[in-house]
């Protein structure tokens, strides 16, 4: 969760943060993270750019708009099926820019390394970052390295910073959503979170599952080419999952979101693991998907465009904006059942990214 | 040391990094840091912007030049006389922009917090960041928070990212230095490093000393107004100190630097502590000073300008560019003694920033 995404310009006045100790849940991207950011960090840093609700900050510059984003990565283990901390750091930052409608210009990275870290591990991650950045055609233009004592950084932590230029056709604004708008999802959810959980080896579960980590910019770019003016809002549902992202969108809104639960693309192994572990797949982190709310008339062409791209075949409409329930996400099923879908509470999967 | 500052475009081909484990010295900003960055990180990330030797990356954009910089902070203890990790994170990033001739536009920050951190400590640092940024008139526009298990982040680590616009009059280039150019220093050195060392309480030494942490932008801005075209190069001598910064400047150059050791402004307590501990003050980190190499004719006015500003009274000329010794920094004394002044080797003061 970025500092800014946690804030809703429309929400009620935020309550002061009253917890006395930091807990894992404060980093999980759900309600506790939101309380920390809204109640403690944002009031100190208050300024118009931060207060605008977005995945990246928007800075007017020289007739254009720059987007900048900052992300910390502490995923454990450092390497997992489908990716690793370095790849995640690059793709996560590219994705924050992408869902802000920004074409990436450059990345920077800081490394906090612990003494005793195997240099081969570091080099593997540096190479993974270079490969991910190269694939996206974005240079890594600088950074910093620090070393702390053995045991003080669990191998390594990476922070990445991205800068991009916002597509001039883009008008993303959570307040622009209207009843009838369609909620699109780029592909199956839960793969990243469940992959990390299984990679830790603490559960007697095995599955042939891979993180979905990837840059979503090519898909976003295709949508911008197709229908930039019809896109109301985008978000990559990382920590806290789709449920948290949609709740953040709708918090303080006069409208609600109906989520078609049966339409959610979920891989069988992810669904099975969630059932076994009592997890809601809507709260599981993703690292290669995005949500887009589009005007009703844009749905068919948008889905056709995404589905025509490799890796976009399972893009689908998972919900719509409705006049009610106000400021809520309501799960609906084809036989008429409903449930309120809330943000993530607690931290079932610590250090997921 | 930024990823980019460690590189010299003029230097000989860099040797591959052959160490097998990360050690504290790799984060100390001296020779080991340089080997890590030149030998392992930079070859993977190679691109023209990174390869340009600078404290901040320069990105042409919309007819102007943006400067971006990223810094990690792991200082121990989190708070010390004169400052704290939050203040250091803001000022350190502003200073990297400043010595690149860039007026700061915006900052972002990522926080890696450990479970169990006292929220009052976090709030103190958030407030310190807000105060330092506010003093500089620069907004903190976004960021990220992550939480790791207790014991895994020694309280908190901060990474900051800064973006600024390079003053159009600036022509900073290490290759532009010429024999006769003067090396100016903004004020006394060693205060930050020795303050941190004493604040750890591991030594039976006490002194009424404070870190020099501050933004150097006001001083740099005054020099730019005065003589932008006469400034060849600037650097804030943080980790590795003045000795490392000047060695990085001169590495691969056809010229050398004579350092007038007796001219160095050093507070008595810092000098005393260095003598007791066998440290060279030229290797001690500073967080509120900068070096500037200027054309000979600009020296007097530059020093007069700095000295007229509060906090600039002790600005002085500490050396000059000479035709020899080639690519070396040579300490010279008034009675004719000389010594080669090398980069920092090892890490006498870990986690200084």
């Amino acid at each position: 969760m970025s500092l800014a995404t946690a804030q809703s310009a429309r929400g009620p006045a935020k309550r002061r943060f009253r917890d006395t100790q930091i807990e894992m849940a404060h980093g999980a991207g759900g309600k506790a993270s939101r309380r920390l950011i809204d109640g403690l960090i944002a009031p100190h840093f208050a300024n118009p750019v931060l207060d605008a609700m977005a995945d990246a900050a928007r800075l007017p510059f020289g007739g254009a708009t720059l987007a900048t984003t900052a992300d910390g990565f502490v995923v454990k283990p450092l390497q997992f099926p489908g990716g690793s901390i370095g790849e995640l750091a690059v793709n996560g930052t590219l994705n924050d820019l992408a869902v802000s409608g920004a074409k990436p210009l450059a990345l920077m990275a800081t490394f906090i390394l612990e003494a005793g870290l195997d240099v081969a591990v570091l080099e593997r991650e540096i190479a993974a970052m270079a490969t991910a950045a190269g694939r996206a055609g974005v240079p890594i233009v600088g950074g910093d390295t620090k070393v702390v004592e053995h045991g003080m950084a669990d191998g390594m932590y990476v922070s990445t910073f991205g800068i991009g230029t916002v597509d001039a056709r883009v008008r993303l604004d959570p307040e622009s959503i209207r009843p009838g708008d369609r909620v699109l999802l780029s592909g199956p959810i839960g793969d990243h979170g469940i992959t990390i959980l299984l990679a830790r080896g603490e559960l007697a579960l095995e599955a042939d599952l891979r993180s979905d980590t990837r840059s979503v910019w090519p898909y976003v770019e295709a949508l911008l080419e197709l229908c930039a003016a019809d896109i109301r809002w985008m978000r990559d549902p990382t920590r806290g999952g789709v449920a948290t992202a949609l709740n953040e969108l709708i918090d303080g809104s006069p409208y609600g979101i109906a989520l078609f639960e049966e339409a959610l693309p979920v891989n069988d192994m992810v669904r099975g693991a969630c059932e076994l572990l009592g997890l809601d797949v809507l709260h599981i982190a993703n690292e290669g998907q995005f949500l887009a709310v589009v005007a009703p008339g844009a749905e068919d062409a948008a889905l056709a465009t995404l589905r025509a791209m490799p890796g976009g075949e399972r893009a689908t409409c998972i919900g719509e904006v409705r006049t009610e329930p106000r400021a809520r996400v309501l799960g609906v099923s084809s036989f008429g059942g409903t449930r309120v879908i809330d943000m993530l509470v607690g931290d079932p999967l610590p250090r997921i990214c």
Side-chain angles (χ1 to χ4, degrees), chain A:
Chain A
M1 180 178 300
S2 71
L3 294 186
T5 52
Q7 295 191 281
S8 165
R10 299 168 315 209
K14 300 306 177 193
R15 259 171 291 182
R16 185 162 167 74
F17 186 71
R18 296 200 181 280
D19 301 15
T20 59
Q21 276 203 342
I22 295 298
E23 293 164 19
M24 296 302 290
H26 293 126
K31 280 198 173 177
S33 296
R34 181 161 188 163
R35 285 192 297 105
L36 171 65
I37 296 168
D38 285 352
L40 190 147
I41 300 179
H44 282 285
F45 289 172
N47 62 69
V49 178
L50 178 63
D51 296 346
M53 181 178 169
D55 255 303
R58 276 174 272 193
L59 301 171
F61 186 81
T65 302
L66 292 170
T68 64
T69 186
D71 300 281
F73 292 86
V74 299
V75 66
K76 181 180 184 169
L78 296 176
Q79 197 173 29
F80 45 82
S84 64
I85 189 169
E87 205 215 3
L88 213 56
V90 167
N91 286 336
T93 299
L94 294 175
N95 290 348
D96 278 349
L97 293 176
V99 295
S100 303
K103 183 180 177 69
L105 276 178
L107 297 172
M108 304 190 93
T110 69
F111 300 91
I112 296 173
L113 312 174
E114 71 170 5
L117 176 68
D118 186 339
V119 166
V121 170
L122 175 61
E123 177 148 34
R124 182 190 74 201
E125 296 311 322
I126 297 289
M129 293 180 77
T131 300
R135 195 180 293 134
V138 183
I140 298 175
V141 297
D144 192 22
T145 55
K146 291 282 158 74
V147 180
V148 294
E149 297 85 350
H150 186 64
M152 288 290 177
D154 212 1
M156 62 189 289
Y157 304 139
V158 182
S159 289
T160 35
F161 304 97
I163 180 167
T165 46
V166 178
D167 189 298
R169 298 165 295 185
V170 161
R171 295 285 175 275
L172 302 174
D173 181 355
E175 295 198 45
S176 70
I177 64 167
R178 294 290 176 271
D181 284 352
R182 307 294 282 176
V183 181
L184 310 186
L185 171 64
S186 60
I189 58 172
D191 290 10
H192 178 73
I194 298 300
T195 297
I196 297 295
L197 189 67
L198 298 183
R200 290 197 190 137
E202 295 159 6
L203 299 168
L205 280 177
E206 280 189 34
D208 182 23
L209 200 59
R210 296 163 61 85
S211 167
D212 61 352
T213 174
R214 62 176 176 176
S215 164
V216 301
W217 171 249
Y219 306 98
V220 168
E221 188 175 34
L223 284 194
L224 294 179
E225 291 298 327
L226 178 74
C227 61
D230 288 326
I231 308 174
R232 319 286 204 203
W233 173 88
M234 290 188 285
R235 177 68 50 88
D236 53 331
T238 55
R239 281 179 300 174
V242 167
T244 301
L246 292 179
N247 269 284
E248 287 186 1
L249 166 64
I250 212 69
D251 178 45
S253 168
Y255 309 120
I257 289 174
L259 190 69
F260 312 142
E261 295 209 56
E262 290 149 4
L264 285 169
V266 183
N267 286 321
D268 287 346
M269 274 177 298
V270 170
R271 195 182 296 279
C274 285
E275 282 173 7
L276 267 172
L277 300 166
L279 298 170
D280 187 338
V281 72
L282 286 166
H283 287 144
I284 305 294
N286 311 283
E287 292 290 343
Q289 307 302 338
F290 70 103
L291 294 159
V293 174
V294 302
E299 174 188 348
D300 290 347
L303 288 178
T305 295
L306 293 176
R307 288 173 182 160
M309 298 176 72
E313 299 84 355
R314 295 174 71 185
T316 191
C317 174
I318 63 162
E320 67 181 12
V321 179
R322 291 187 177 170
T323 53
E324 54 184 29
R326 183 183 168 107
R328 285 285 196 182
V329 179
L330 199 69
V332 299
S333 67
S334 56
F335 50 87
T338 63
R339 65 165 182 141
V340 170
I341 294 171
D342 207 346
M343 293 177 74
L344 174 67
V345 175
D347 191 0
L349 296 175
R351 298 182 53 189
I352 211 73
C353 60

